[in-house]
Amino acid sequence: MSQTLTEIAETLIKANKKVQLIYAFNGTGKTQLSNEFKKNFGQDEDKDEGNINKKQMLYYNAFSEDLFYWQNEDKNNILKIHSNWFTNWIIRDRGQDQNIINHFQRYTNDKLNPLFNEQTRVINVDGKLRNQTFYPEVTFSYLKGTERFDNIKISKAEERCFIWSVFYTLFVEIVGILKYDDREEDTFNDLKYIFIDDPVSSLDDNHLIELAVDVATLVKSCESKDLKFIITTHNPLFYNVISNELNNNYPNKNPKIINKKGLKKEWLYIEDESCKYKLVKKDDGTFNLSPIGRRTPFSYHLTLLFELQKVKQIEEVQKYHFNFLRNILEKTATFLGYSKWESLLPLMSDGKRDPFANRILNLSSHSAHAGEEIAEVQENDKTKFIELIEFLETEYKFSNLITSNVTV
């Protein structure tokens, strides 16, 4: 059933599961969903800025990166941090700067070292002037052999990884605080949801798997019965790893003694506490949130093929669909043992692979200069594109996923 993002946010809340995992293509509306989700809790970021006890939802999404920006002056590359409650709390109040560094280096390079630069400012507290510590910036150094390079500017992928490490450390600390029923502090007592939208996806596969396992373990090890998680991603590997991890129960490593004979075996997480979905945006601007089986991660290439078969029916080919087709060809070539995806293209009468099909797939899926691109797809390219889909279905016996009722 089609829904607006506002209705989908309400659906997720009503599901009342410990964790809900959502896959969606880029551009579907995952970030907008996180914003709609936030509206359900009536949070006023400006009003509640300094009062973390009133927070009912915390989130990591594309807007989180806007809190960090570069200042490059006099060969000094400084990553500035907009003053906000959570960085002050996690770095200054909780002293977690070293854990942020540790997470960052695990996902990138242990030779790459962030340095949080401490500063002070004078504030008025009950009519008295006092010095307050804060951390408005970070610099990075790199060790190469015996040489050290200071004030370097890290790559965009490394920057995103660093920002995620800050938020991940924040979430770990919160889960740690909420594990104690008899804790003295009441910090985050009202927190109901942590929404994680597409954490770092620019990692290599090994580090991406490590990150996915970390996120799944964080969710499953959370002892609070009130705190729940929403995780969205466009990355099929990240989705499948977390999906598999959520199929495994997580034991309480500190079970309570119930009698003199032994311990009661308890579970902090069981797989029935999770839901998995695929979010699809329709042509009319509404959305479908379709459940995905708990034990069967979807096959990404079949999801792409399903989208292309729908496109073939209505003949509305867009530029990004060429990326989908090339991705399917690459995965199929690997599965069949070919070194090049071009080996799967139709043969011409001279025994060579179709050069026109090769050209349009290369030109449409790879472009060095954005200024040379146009959004429209020429009619002859559309025709060839549909022919290629039909060739794949016939030559390599791909099923018609639309009529076969196969879950993708």
Side-chain angles (χ1 to χ4, degrees), residues 166-394:
V166 175
F167 278 85
Y168 176 67
T169 305
L170 171 69
F171 299 152
V172 169
E173 189 70 3
I174 290 171
V175 167
I177 288 174
L178 296 180
K179 69 186 291 186
Y180 301 108
D181 294 331
D182 57 348
R183 62 186 184 277
E184 295 180 0
E185 57 184 324
D186 58 359
T187 310
F188 296 109
N189 270 0
D190 293 338
L191 188 63
K192 293 181 172 63
Y193 279 94
I194 290 178
F195 197 116
I196 300 174
D197 172 34
D198 253 343
V200 182
S201 58
S202 52
L203 297 170
D204 62 73
D205 286 354
N206 287 336
H207 285 113
L208 189 63
I209 291 171
E210 183 178 15
L211 187 150
V213 172
D214 285 347
V215 172
T217 302
L218 172 70
V219 170
K220 296 196 296 182
S221 65
C222 179
E223 295 187 18
S224 171
K225 300 299 182 183
D226 299 322
L227 180 59
K228 298 174 176 61
F229 297 81
I230 308 289
I231 304 170
T232 64
T233 183
H234 77 283
N235 187 290
L237 176 60
F238 184 82
Y239 174 90
N240 283 342
V241 172
I242 290 189
S243 177
N244 283 325
E245 290 294 314
L246 293 179
N247 289 336
N248 301 317
N249 298 340
Y250 191 91
N252 186 346
K253 297 181 180 179
N254 299 298
K256 298 176 182 178
I257 298 177
I258 58 173
N259 54 47
K260 294 181 180 180
K261 294 183 179 180
L263 303 175
K264 177 184 178 182
K265 189 169 185 177
E266 297 178 336
W267 301 98
L268 291 181
Y269 167 84
I270 56 176
E271 64 171 309
D272 287 340
E273 296 181 69
S274 69
C275 282
K276 302 164 189 176
Y277 310 96
K278 183 171 67 175
L279 180 67
V280 177
K281 186 175 182 178
K282 303 185 69 177
D283 292 337
D284 62 2
T286 60
F287 300 81
N288 279 345
L289 188 68
S290 306
I292 299 178
R294 289 200 306 271
R295 291 197 173 276
T296 309
F298 70 94
S299 296
Y300 184 54
H301 70 290
L302 294 183
T303 300
L304 297 180
L305 182 60
F306 180 73
E307 294 297 319
L308 296 186
Q309 288 175 338
K310 289 194 299 183
V311 167
K312 186 183 72 171
Q313 282 189 340
I314 60 178
E315 298 186 1
E316 291 187 1
V317 181
Q318 303 295 326
K319 287 292 289 290
Y320 65 88
H321 291 137
F322 289 85
N323 280 318
F324 289 3
L325 182 54
R326 176 163 172 156
N327 194 302
I328 293 170
L329 286 167
E330 288 172 344
K331 286 179 169 57
T332 305
T334 299
F335 177 77
L336 296 176
Y338 292 102
S339 59
K340 296 181 179 180
W341 61 267
E342 292 90 341
S343 300
L344 303 185
L345 294 177
L347 286 171
M348 304 296 289
S349 58
D350 59 2
K352 295 181 180 179
R353 299 293 171 180
D354 188 340
F356 181 60
N358 191 353
R359 182 183 67 82
I360 65 168
L361 284 175
N362 276 319
L363 289 179
S364 299
S365 61
H366 288 80
S367 178
H369 301 287
E372 296 178 355
E373 286 198 64
I374 56 174
E376 295 78 12
V377 178
Q378 297 181 18
E379 287 302 318
N380 58 335
D381 289 352
K382 287 183 181 180
T383 301
K384 176 59 70 171
F385 183 82
I386 292 173
E387 289 177 359
L388 282 173
I389 297 174
E390 293 174 344
F391 173 78
L392 279 178
E393 293 171 332
T394 303

